[in-house]
């Protein structure tokens, strides 16, 4: 082995580090350690001059190991590794000592001890660096196809963008219709008919580049970036494309069921069209509730129905995945009389009521008696911005703001007020967050239209009750005018927030992605990388990443498509082989490691009585090496001896 | 497909233009990134930390800036402006490369020239709170790290030329016009902060201790004029009471901007938390009408600022600020909408949360590009809901704060969306058939 020649670079990070740690002292100390050829400190190592410093030293001093003592490797490890590569040495001859998050920020009031700790961390890093080995790269081809999971507005947008670039896309949708929540809305704020928008989206699905798989789920997902394999199961629809929407089947079907998509406000048959403007425009049989009478079969003139259809299993190879699974509306759990009083509804139900293709054909009526309500109250932030407080009415579940709902509420409030100016509309709110372009004007229009705004504080939330004469009333303390108000109302609309879907974990484990504290999928970096995940080749967009409206959903979806397009256009990815490796001399073939590998990347070769690593599948997680009883499997770059060298260096000798 | 022969122009090298350029270049396009100023980075380079994670702004921006510099598919043209665009089968673009009077290929960024230059000029990057020399880089992490002579102030003493070991100084450099043909254009020219002088009642420009959000950002910054030591501008004293006034130049008929600027609630909250960290015990009051903490992690941050850091949020309208001529303290007249009281309170520093406005030179860009603007002055999307990045002229895309106020993650998402649409428009001839704008 060539003798290590180490260069150490201590970063000030402005004053982030140098304000606490005595960088000069650290540098002087480090300089004298064995194998260290040079040690320097500089104000911003990540800046261009900082990197030039490293590159020049590598060339001039013939360095072969580089240590940067700065921040967390999460952001800048790749930055420095590229610098090493550019200077002509293997990027894995690099080690970072985190003296910001782990030192200067953590021990802000103890500069002396912080300085000592920084020295320790760097000494450990040097010990490991001396034992590092070069890691090679492997280039693999990228399958020029993508899988988009979820055909809401986000999924359709992303799929169509990639299709326009010429790539084939499998668009997998759980439901029998596409459009997600957009399909249920009446209007969007800044007024456009939601069904018009849906139509302009669904028109895009006719391109042969997009293979829409409705009623489908990904049941198995394996592989690695550029070369994923998905097994998709498509449940039968029992009706094929010959269906011309004549609707005769529906007339003869004997089964009546509450219509789930209209929140039970009307009924549908077992054979039904999910929504009047459903895409694909084909009926579907709800097989769970179908009694198999065959009435529909007999009456269908097109022979479109086959009640014996079987599920289809479809295996696809794709290079990239975009997850666009959207959200779920928060379901009030009894608060504000929801579930107890029929005329306490959620805003999504209101959208259905107001929609021309909804249960009352767009006429505003109350669920209890079908009359048009005169007094309507909206209660906002239901299921959002909940902080723990003594009051039990609000459960501390979702701390975040749901972002879409203020503007959406005002849109509906104004619509109702404009359609029947004699009605009394109350908006009971905490803050009005009409931040989107143009929606401040919507807010002004609402104020001018005579809608009553009542501000409440979370610790004194409104209550909804029925009085003895069966009158629905809202009691609320107006926080601005300091008065208690008792408002008789005919309809209460709870403005529900967005929550992460209850199958989020299923998707998360299948695709090896993570969730943020708020439950939604986590982006690779909250500020700089909102569309990537920590899993390479898997991107997120739309409301599955966090609550947002249609406009922002579309932007993220296109952005995520761009991220996928980068790999698809290049056609190749380069993988670092930080993977497990087997010492064939020592392996006994016990195969304990085969069982623990979550990626199925280790196989037993029975003839040789040895295990073998499939390098492209291995993610370097280390499960195998920690299981092997004799240490015959090691992960490159994290070998036992490299880790132990660090430990030994910190223990008192 | 071979995209290297396809050219895309990105105008503006803020975080948004940077992201669009990187995405397109990574796909394989040949990108021309044109930035007016000597360095890329835009406003984000001026920020101290970013909400809601309090990531140090320079730390997370620098790697992307460096990526731009080293990307083989990006032609970075800083200190350059677009002078003409005409449309044939492609866009013919004329770019003016302003003379730096320092040769870009020769300058090593050593900075010896600056040390010797005798001329001090107020630094634009530091919001004129400190000075730079006539030969300068705007900030230490500038990309490219090449010095520029500010000819307006240079006295041609010849010192820098004498000192420069690389022989990079060239006082006779002439402007160069270059022309390129591109398939599509992304406009990412960003915003200007509202000029707080227009809200005369707050005394900005007259009172020393009334500062804008961007100025306060520099005051907090470790790399800023006072090295992150938070002090008053009038007397250098450490403040004990700081007030923030929200919606200055936003949601305000008088100033002419009805829209919300989307970031100022959060940047004030961030700055308040940072000020508390700088000066433990400082009393901070934020006067607002609605706190708009709507993004991922924002509400949580807002709650923490109140519960954990003790920042006070007061729903109230500040009608006027008066300065005590002796102490330079500021007297705020506030209508507290919660208590309906008229209160007078004294503060040491008042920060105006100035809104995000269209750039002052946006009309010029509008003409050069031949695209429309909305009634709020920002560039207008052709279609709001289904893609706000598509401008009113086909082949041109808008993103980031040029399309309307927005924060960094939203700018970055939009930047990638614009890159997607620009690439579709650029390869359209390859696949034929499916186009939509
Ligand atoms: C009451 C209400 C009012 C609103 N009003 C407005 C408004 O006025 N203006 C506005 O801009 N926005 C409004 N919105 C927000 C708008 O609905 C969302 O921005 C938008 O629907 C988000 O789109 P998405 O594609 O990300 O998610 P979704 O619409 O939720 O779509 C996700 C899709 O993925 C599918 N899916 C989920 N999991 C899987 C899986 N594992 N496999 C396969 N498929 C899966 C779902 O079935 C669904 O089709 C409103 C929302 C609500 C609830
Ligand atoms: C005080 C303050 C604090 C903030 N804090 C945060 C925060 O903590 N977190 C957060 O997420 N956001 C924050 N923001 C918002 C953030 O600054 C913006 O989201 C971001 O800067 C937008 O990036 P952009 O690239 O669109 O625009 P800009 O940053 O404005 O960049 C535009 C670039 O284009 C260049 N340019 C302009 N015109 C031309 C032309 N004609 N030709 C060539 N180049 C041109 C400019 O020189 C500039 O480099 C803050 C904003 C302010 C004012
Ligand atoms: S957008 Fe408005 S209604 Fe929705 S959670 Fe946020 S503040 Fe509440
Ligand atoms: S020539 Fe100009 S830029 Fe150079 S040192 Fe003299 S004043 Fe400064
Ligand atoms: S973000 Fe807050 S301060 Fe800024 S304009 Fe909107 S409401 Fe006002």
């Amino acid at each position: 082995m060539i003798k290590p020649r180490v260069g150490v670079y201590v970063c000030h990070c402005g004053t982030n580090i140098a304000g606490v740690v005595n960088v000069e002292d650290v540098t002087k100390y480090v300089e004298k350690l064995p194998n260290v050829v040079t040690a320097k400190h500089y104000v911003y190592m990540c800046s261009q001059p900082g990197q030039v410093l490293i590159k020049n030293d590598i060339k001039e001093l013939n360095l072969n190991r580089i240590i940067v003592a700065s921040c967390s490797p999460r952001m800048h490890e790749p930055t420095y590794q590229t610098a090493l590569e550019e200077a002509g040495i293997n990027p894995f001859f690099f080690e970072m000592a985190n003296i910001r998050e782990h030192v200067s920020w953590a021990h802000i009031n103890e500069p002396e001890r912080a300085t000592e700790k920084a020295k320790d961390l760097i000494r450990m890093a040097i010990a490991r660096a001396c034992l590092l080995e070069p890691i090679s790269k492997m280039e693999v081809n990228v399958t020029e196809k993508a899988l988009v999971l979820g055909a809401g507005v986000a999924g359709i947008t992303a799929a169509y963008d990639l299709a326009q670039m010429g790539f084939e896309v499998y668009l997998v949708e759980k439901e029998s219709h596409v459009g997600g929540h957009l399909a249920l809305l009446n209007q969007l704020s800044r007024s456009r008919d939601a069904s018009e928008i849906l139509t302009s989206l669904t028109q895009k699905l006719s391109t042969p580049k997009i293979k829409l798989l409705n009623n489908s789920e990904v049941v198995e997902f394996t592989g690695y970036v550029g070369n994923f394999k998905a097994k998709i199961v498509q449940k039968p629809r029992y009706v094929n494309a010959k269906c011309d929407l004549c609707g005769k089947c529906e007339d003869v079907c004997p089964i009546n069921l509450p219509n789930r998509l209209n929140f039970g406000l009307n009924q549908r048959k077992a054979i039904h069209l999910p929504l009047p403007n459903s895409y694909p425009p084909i009926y579907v049989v709800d097989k769970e509730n179908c009694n198999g009478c065959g009435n529909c079969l007999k009456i269908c003139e097109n022979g479109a129905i086959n009640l014996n259809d079987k599920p289809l299993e479809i295996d696809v190879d794709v290079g990239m995945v975009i997850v666009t699974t959207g959200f779920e509306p928060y379901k009030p759990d009894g608060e504000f009389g929801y579930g107890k009083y029929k005329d306490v509804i959620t805003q999504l139900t209101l959208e259905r009521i107001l929609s021309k293709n909804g249960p009352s054909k767009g006429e505003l009526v109350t669920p209890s008696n079908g009359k048009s309500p005169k007094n309507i109250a909206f209660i906002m932030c239901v299921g959002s911005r909940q902080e723990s407080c003594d009051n039990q009415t609000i459960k501390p579940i979702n701390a975040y703001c749901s972002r879409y709902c203020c503007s959406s509420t005002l849109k509906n409030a104004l619509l109702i007020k404009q359609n029947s100016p004699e009605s009394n509309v109350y908006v009971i709110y905490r803050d009005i967050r009409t931040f989107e372009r143009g929606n401040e004007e919507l807010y002004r229009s609402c104020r001018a239209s005579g809608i009553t705004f009542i501000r409440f504080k979370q610790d004194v939330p409104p209550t909804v009750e029925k009085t003895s004469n069966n009158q629905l009333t809202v009691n609320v303390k107006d926080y601005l005018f300091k008065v208690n108000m008792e408002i008789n109302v005919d309809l209460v609309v709870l403005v529900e927030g967005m929550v992460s879907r209850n199958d989020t974990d299923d998707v998360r484990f299948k695709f090896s992605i993570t969730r943020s504290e708020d439950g939604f999928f986590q982006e690779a970096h909250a500020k700089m990388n909102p569309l990537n995940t920590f899993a390479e080749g898997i991107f997120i967009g739309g409301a599955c990443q966090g609550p947002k409206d249609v406009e922002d959903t579309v932007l993220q979806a296109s952005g995520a498509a761009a991220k996928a397009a980068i790999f698809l256009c290049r056609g190749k990815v380069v993988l670092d082989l930080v993977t497990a490796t087997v010492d064939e001399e020592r392996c006994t073939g016990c195969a304990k490691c085969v069982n623990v590998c979550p990626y199925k990347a280790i196989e037993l070769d029975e003839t040789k009585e040895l295990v073998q690593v499939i390098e492209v599948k291995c993610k370097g997680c280390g499960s195998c090496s920690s299981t092997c009883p004799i240490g015959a499997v090691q992960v490159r770059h994290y070998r036992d001896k490299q880790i132990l060298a660090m430990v030994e260096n910190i223990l008192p000798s | 497909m071979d995209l290297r022969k396809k050219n895309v122009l990105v105008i503006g090298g803020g975080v948004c233009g940077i992201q669009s350029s990187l995405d397109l270049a990574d796909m394989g396009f040949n990108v021309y990134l044109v930035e007016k100023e000597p360095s890329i980075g835009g406003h984000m380079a001026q920020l101290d930390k970013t909400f809601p994670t309090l990531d140090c702004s320079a730390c997370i921006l620098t790697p992307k800036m460096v990526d731009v510099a080293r990307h083989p598919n990006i032609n970075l043209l800083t200190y350059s402006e677009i002078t003409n665009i005409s449309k044939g089968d492609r866009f013919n673009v004329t770019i003016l490369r302003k003379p730096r009077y320092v040769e870009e290929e020769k300058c090593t960024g050593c900075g010896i020239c600056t040390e010797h230059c005798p001329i001090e000029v107020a630094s634009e990057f530091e919001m004129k709170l400190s000075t730079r020399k006539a030969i300068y880089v705007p900030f230490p992490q500038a990309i490219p790290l090449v010095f520029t002579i500010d000819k307006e102030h240079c006295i041609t003493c010849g010192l820098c030329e004498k000192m420069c070991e690389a022989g990079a100084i060239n006082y006779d450099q002439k402007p160069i016009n270059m022309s390129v043909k591109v398939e599509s254009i992304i406009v990412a020219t960003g915003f200007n902060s509202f000029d707080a002088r227009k809200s005369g009642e707050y005394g900005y420009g007259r009172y020393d201790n009334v500062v804008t959000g961007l100025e306060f950002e520099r005051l907090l910054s470790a790399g800023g004029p006072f090295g992150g030591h938070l002090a008053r501008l009038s007397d250098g004293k450490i403040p004990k009471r700081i007030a923030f006034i929200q919606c200055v130049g936003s949601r305000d008929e008088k100033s002419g901007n009805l829209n919300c600027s989307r970031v100022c609630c959060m940047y004030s909250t961030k700055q308040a938390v940072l000020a508390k960290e700088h000066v433990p015990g400082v009393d901070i009051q934020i006067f607002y009408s609605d706190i708009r903490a709507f993004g991922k992690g924002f509400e949580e941050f807002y709650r923490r600022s109140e519960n954990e850091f003790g920042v006070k949020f007061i729903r109230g309208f500040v009608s006027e600020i008066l300065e005590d001529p002796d102490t330079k303290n500021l007297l705020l007249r506030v209508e507290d909408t919660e208590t309906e009281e008229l209160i007078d309170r004294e503060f040491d520093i008042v920060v105006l949360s100035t809104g995000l406005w269209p750039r002052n030179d946006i009309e010029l860009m509008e003409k050069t590009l031949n695209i429309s603007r909305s009634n709020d002055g920002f560039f207008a999307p052709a279609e709001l809901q289904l893609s706000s990045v598509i401008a009113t002229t086909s082949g041109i895309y808008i993103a980031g704060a040029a399309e309307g106020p927005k924060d960094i993650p939203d700018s970055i998402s939009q930047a990638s969306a614009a890159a997607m649409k620009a690439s579709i428009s650029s390869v359209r001839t390859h696949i034929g058939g499916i186009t939509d704008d």
Side-chain angles (χ1 to χ4, degrees):
Chain A
M1 195 168 148
I2 311 169
K3 189 171 159 29
R5 293 178 60 80
V6 182
V8 183
Y9 301 85
V10 183
C11 184
H12 302 188
C13 194
T15 54
N16 273 305
I17 292 171
V20 178
V21 173
N22 183 337
V23 287
E24 208 141 312
D25 187 27
V26 171
T27 311
K28 279 205 192 103
Y29 166 82
V30 169
E31 227 167 18
K32 302 201 184 78
L33 294 176
N35 296 320
V36 174
V37 176
T38 181
K40 293 182 174 144
H41 58 91
Y42 185 70
V43 56
Y44 286 109
M45 279 311 299
C46 60
S47 67
Q48 213 174 20
Q51 296 185 52
V52 168
L53 192 66
I54 298 179
K55 288 197 259 186
N56 287 345
D57 281 359
I58 291 177
K59 288 184 193 137
E60 282 159 24
L61 303 173
N62 219 354
L63 302 180
N64 57 19
R65 297 289 189 283
I66 299 299
I67 283 147
V68 176
S70 56
C71 45
S72 142
R74 205 182 234 184
M75 192 80 204
H76 280 311
E77 190 168 49
T79 314
Y80 296 118
Q81 287 188 322
T82 314
L84 264 68
E85 230 172 344
E86 284 171 353
I89 66 172
N90 191 284
F92 286 86
F93 284 144
F94 172 74
E95 179 72 4
M96 226 159 149
N98 184 352
I99 61 166
R100 194 179 69 184
E101 283 86 341
H102 291 177
V103 180
S104 63
W105 284 357
H107 312 292
I108 199 153
N109 298 322
E110 295 176 284
E112 271 118 50
R113 295 181 64 202
T115 302
E116 291 312 305
K117 182 169 170 189
K119 291 178 187 170
D120 287 345
L121 293 185
I122 299 172
R123 203 175 60 244
M124 289 165 73
I126 296 171
R128 170 155 186 256
C130 290
L131 298 177
L132 291 176
E133 307 159 14
I135 304 280
S136 49
K137 290 181 188 298
M138 188 171 61
E139 201 178 75
V140 295
N141 287 333
V142 171
T143 309
E144 289 185 15
K145 291 178 188 175
L147 183 140
V148 176
L149 193 72
V153 51
I156 299 176
T157 304
Y160 187 59
D161 280 341
L162 291 178
Q164 282 182 292
M165 287 295 284
F167 301 114
E168 248 177 71
V169 184
Y170 298 99
L171 179 55
V172 179
E173 168 58 52
K174 229 174 189 167
E175 299 279 338
S176 56
H177 63 283
V178 303
H181 288 93
L182 177 67
L184 303 179
L185 302 184
N186 170 42
Q187 254 187 18
L188 298 190
S189 30
R190 291 162 291 174
S191 70
R192 244 187 91 184
D193 199 45
S195 64
E196 227 178 83
I197 296 186
L198 184 66
T199 309
S200 62
L201 277 173
T202 52
Q203 274 165 358
K204 300 179 172 178
L205 295 172
S206 56
T207 155
K209 293 277 180 200
I210 299 180
K211 305 260 180 296
L212 173 66
L213 298 168
N214 264 110
N215 261 340
S216 298
E217 275 183 68
V218 174
V219 293
E220 242 178 73
F221 186 76
T222 55
Y224 52 94
V225 54
N227 297 273
F228 295 115
K229 284 184 188 305
K231 189 185 280 303
I232 299 162
V233 171
Q234 183 168 39
K235 284 184 286 180
R237 193 179 187 106
Y238 307 102
V239 186
N240 64 31
K242 286 189 214 147
C243 169
D244 66 359
L245 301 184
C246 72
K248 288 180 185 141
C249 53
E250 204 171 1
D251 296 338
V252 299
C253 177
I255 310 280
N256 268 308
L257 298 157
N259 188 344
R260 172 177 64 101
L261 295 179
N262 285 337
F263 301 94
L265 291 178
N266 66 352
Q267 305 253 301
R268 67 153 169 82
K269 295 295 180 64
I271 187 161
H272 66 287
L273 192 61
L275 294 161
N277 58 342
S278 280
Y279 186 93
I282 305 174
Y283 272 67
V284 55
V285 178
D286 170 359
K287 205 52 195 285
E288 253 171 60
N289 292 299
C290 161
N291 67 5
C293 70
N295 286 356
C296 53
L297 258 180
K298 277 173 241 151
I299 200 142
C300 178
E301 287 161 9
N302 299 322
I305 304 173
N306 176 359
L307 292 176
N308 296 321
D309 269 350
K310 293 276 162 306
L312 271 178
E313 245 187 47
I314 306 157
D315 288 304
V316 301
D317 289 327
V318 295
M320 296 289 134
V321 176
I322 302 177
V323 176
T324 51
T325 48
F327 67 100
E328 253 170 49
Y330 171 79
K331 195 164 182 299
D333 184 14
E335 62 260 44
F336 307 112
Y338 186 79
K340 191 164 161 201
Y341 309 125
K342 264 193 161 169
D343 292 335
V344 177
I345 62 173
T346 66
Q347 182 164 227
L348 194 53
T349 314
L350 177 71
E351 292 277 351
R352 294 309 302 142
I353 295 175
L354 292 173
S355 171
K356 279 190 287 301
N357 64 34
S360 55
K361 306 272 178 289
E363 207 183 314
L364 178 62
V365 291
T366 55
S368 65
N369 59 13
K371 286 196 196 142
S372 62
K374 287 274 159 305
N375 304 301
I376 302 116
F378 288 85
I379 301 178
M380 302 176 74
C381 299
V382 177
S384 309
R385 305 182 63 189
Q386 299 158 306
E387 215 184 341
S388 44
C389 68
D390 298 336
N391 195 306
Q392 287 304 303
T393 331
I394 294 175
K395 299 195 177 69
I397 308 169
N398 302 317
Y400 53 85
C401 160
S402 290
R403 183 172 177 150
Y404 88 93
C405 22
C406 273
S407 296
S408 182
T409 306
L410 296 196
K411 157 200 83 176
N412 287 330
L414 190 63
L415 188 73
I416 292 171
K417 186 72 188 170
Q418 282 173 342
N419 286 348
S420 51
E422 72 291 352
S423 62
N424 297 307
V425 180
Y426 304 89
V427 171
I428 303 170
Y429 74 103
R430 290 176 58 193
D431 291 274
I432 293 291
R433 295 183 167 170
T434 43
F435 60 87
E436 307 90 343
R437 184 182 212 179
N439 276 345
E440 197 63 36
E441 280 145 77
L442 170 68
Y443 182 23
R444 281 169 184 254
S445 308
C446 285
R447 290 257 180 199
S449 74
I451 292 170
T452 311
F453 282 83
I454 303 164
R455 188 167 191 256
F456 74 96
K457 272 229 146 172
Q458 197 208 2
D459 37 11
V460 203
T463 55
V464 180
E465 264 148 30
K466 261 193 180 169
T467 54
S468 48
N469 56 357
N470 219 20
Q471 172 65 51
L472 204 56
T473 52
V474 178
N475 283 291
V476 56
K477 178 164 182 202
D478 189 317
Y479 186 62
L480 295 181
F481 297 105
K482 301 280 174 289
V483 283
N484 287 313
M485 298 178 71
E486 189 180 300
I487 312 163
N488 290 344
V489 291
D490 307 310
L491 186 68
V492 176
V493 181
L494 305 183
V495 179
E496 76 273 48
M498 291 185 178
V499 297
S500 56
R501 289 179 57 99
N502 70 10
D503 59 1
T504 304
D505 268 340
D506 178 49
V507 174
R508 162 195 176 194
F509 291 124
K510 214 166 265 159
F511 294 91
S512 313
I513 56 181
T514 50
R515 293 174 86 159
S516 322
E517 228 167 285
D518 58 14
F520 293 91
F521 290 129
Q522 188 181 24
E523 59 283 339
H525 192 281
K527 300 304 292 181
M528 303 307 276
N529 218 343
L531 308 169
N532 290 63
T533 66
F534 292 114
E536 248 203 302
I538 315 240
F539 308 97
I540 48 176
C544 69
Q545 183 260 352
K548 54 184 66 69
D549 68 359
V550 168
E551 186 187 336
D552 287 338
T553 293
V554 166
L555 289 177
Q556 279 206 338
S558 282
K563 300 290 175 194
I566 290 172
F567 289 92
L568 296 169
C569 288
R570 280 200 205 141
K572 288 197 163 51
V573 287
V574 177
L575 304 174
D576 292 321
L577 290 182
V578 180
T579 51
T581 145
V582 181
D583 182 346
E584 300 200 347
E585 307 274 278
R586 298 177 57 212
C587 173
T588 61
C590 74
K592 288 203 167 76
C593 53
V594 174
N595 299 327
V596 297
C597 176
Y599 305 101
K600 304 189 179 64
I602 294 198
E603 283 171 2
L604 177 67
D605 182 335
E606 301 204 3
T607 49
K608 285 200 210 152
E609 291 187 2
L610 283 175
V611 294
Q612 278 181 335
V613 179
I614 305 149
E615 286 185 327
V616 289
K617 283 192 177 176
C618 173
K619 300 243 192 308
C621 73
S623 303
C624 54
S625 64
S626 51
T627 306
C628 180
I630 54 170
V633 190
Q634 295 276 305
V635 177
R636 294 193 183 100
H637 207 57
Y638 298 96
R639 291 183 186 273
D640 289 352
K641 61 174 186 206
Q642 294 164 344
I643 307 292
L644 288 173
M646 298 178 87
V647 179
E648 278 158 17
N649 231 281
I650 193 67
L651 295 175
S653 44
Chain B
M1 58 188 106
D2 188 8
L3 300 175
R4 274 166 306 180
K5 297 190 189 77
K6 304 268 172 194
N7 298 337
V8 182
L9 169 70
V10 178
I11 311 174
V15 63
C16 176
I18 288 175
Q19 188 60 53
S20 291
S21 302
L22 286 173
D23 285 344
L24 286 162
D26 280 348
M27 285 182 208
F29 287 96
N30 185 36
V31 178
Y32 292 94
L33 172 55
V34 175
E35 167 60 54
K36 209 172 189 170
E37 301 295 328
S39 169
I40 55 173
H43 283 97
M44 191 177 167
Q46 285 179 292
L47 306 182
D48 177 27
K49 306 241 161 95
T50 56
F51 62 74
T53 48
L54 297 185
D55 275 311
C56 138
S57 191
C59 307
I60 57 179
L61 179 64
T62 317
K64 291 219 190 226
M65 290 170 56
V66 173
D67 285 349
V68 166
R70 64 157 64 108
H71 207 297
N73 297 349
I74 299 180
N75 306 284
L76 178 57
L77 306 170
T78 45
Y79 214 46
S80 300
E81 279 171 47
I82 310 290
T83 50
N84 189 50
I85 294 180
S86 63
K87 199 174 177 189
D89 54 336
R90 301 158 88 191
F91 293 97
N92 298 310
V93 183
T94 316
I95 303 166
L96 170 74
R97 308 218 58 197
K98 296 179 276 189
R100 283 190 128 96
Y101 307 104
V102 176
E103 285 175 23
E104 220 171 297
E105 309 71 47
K106 290 190 187 158
C107 175
T108 61
C110 71
I112 291 180
C113 51
T114 286
E115 281 167 31
H116 292 86
C117 176
I119 303 294
E120 301 230 354
V121 187
S123 159
E124 299 83 355
F125 181 83
E126 296 295 357
M127 302 307 292
K128 312 215 161 145
L129 297 174
S130 66
T131 59
R132 59 162 171 83
K133 295 293 183 68
I135 187 163
Y136 71 107
V137 285
F139 53 101
Q141 303 96 318
I143 297 281
L145 195 72
V146 171
F147 282 73
T148 302
I149 295 181
D150 165 2
K151 247 321 187 11
E152 206 186 307
H153 294 99
C154 162
I155 54 168
T156 332
C157 66
L159 273 177
C160 54
E161 189 183 28
K162 219 174 287 161
M163 299 313 298
C164 179
E165 287 168 16
I169 311 286
N170 175 0
Y171 297 116
D172 301 322
Q173 220 176 34
K174 294 277 167 301
I176 299 171
N177 273 303
M178 61 183 278
S179 62
V180 296
K181 282 191 185 346
V182 299
E183 251 67 40
S184 51
I185 299 175
I186 294 179
V187 184
T189 46
F191 67 95
N192 274 150
S193 282
F194 170 68
D195 178 3
R197 279 179 192 82
K198 292 190 196 152
S199 293
E201 67 275 25
Y202 297 145
Y204 177 76
R206 286 182 285 130
Y207 305 154
D208 289 349
N209 295 320
V210 175
V211 299
T212 65
L214 216 41
E215 286 169 346
F216 199 63
E217 200 76 45
R218 293 315 299 155
L219 288 179
L220 288 168
S221 172
F226 302 140
H229 177 75
L230 185 56
R232 301 217 301 176
L233 290 176
S234 65
D235 51 15
K237 279 198 194 133
I238 296 175
K240 292 199 183 67
R241 303 156 301 181
I242 304 175
F244 286 82
I245 302 178
Q246 297 310 107
C247 302
V248 179
S250 314
R251 305 180 67 192
D252 168 28
E253 223 140 3
K254 249 197 322 191
S255 74
N257 177 24
L258 290 185
N259 276 321
C260 165
S261 289
R262 295 177 64 141
V263 297
C264 13
C265 276
M266 289 313 292
Y267 83 55
S268 303
T269 307
K270 162 190 80 176
Q271 293 180 344
V273 166
L274 294 174
K276 286 261 183 192
E277 282 181 349
H278 281 65
V279 185
V282 60
D283 178 26
I284 298 188
Q285 307 186 12
I286 298 186
F287 297 97
Y288 75 100
S289 59
D290 299 276
I291 287 294
R292 296 193 161 163
F294 56 80
K296 191 162 175 167
F298 291 9
E299 178 77 14
E300 293 90 323
F301 183 68
Y302 160 46
R303 301 313 311 139
R304 262 185 68 204
S305 75
E306 192 168 9
N307 298 341
E308 216 173 283
F309 291 91
V311 176
K312 295 187 197 117
F313 290 84
I314 295 155
R315 196 173 189 282
F317 176 73
V318 180
S319 51
E320 201 183 7
I321 302 180
L322 300 171
E323 186 190 58
D324 179 334
D326 300 328
T327 59
K328 302 276 180 191
N329 289 350
L330 301 156
L331 199 67
L332 267 62
R333 175 141 302 172
V334 192
E335 294 163 39
D336 186 327
T337 42
E338 286 174 17
T339 56
E340 280 189 89
E341 273 173 89
L342 206 62
I343 42 176
D344 285 336
R345 277 193 199 154
E346 205 179 71
F347 291 93
D348 302 324
I349 295 181
V350 173
V351 185
L352 305 180
S353 295
T354 38
L356 274 51
W357 276 48
R359 283 184 61 95
N360 304 329
D361 57 4
I362 197 164
E363 263 173 64
L364 190 68
M365 281 310 285
E366 179 188 9
K367 285 207 192 83
T368 315
L369 288 158
N370 190 24
I371 57 176
S372 316
R373 293 193 288 142
S374 315
N375 53 9
D376 60 8
F378 289 97
F379 288 123
E383 208 284 342
L384 197 57
Q385 307 285 6
L386 285 187
S387 197
S388 56
V389 298
I390 299 174
T392 49
T393 298
S394 100
I396 302 187
Y397 303 89
I398 46 180
E403 188 270 328
K406 56 184 67 71
D407 63 21
I408 294 160
D410 285 352
S411 295
I412 286 190
S413 296
Q414 207 179 13
S416 293
M420 186 72 249
K421 299 295 182 193
S423 70
I424 292 170
S425 134
S426 305
V427 302
R428 152 163 319 166
T429 44
H430 269 274
I431 50 169
I434 26 181
T435 59
D436 64 349
D437 60 309

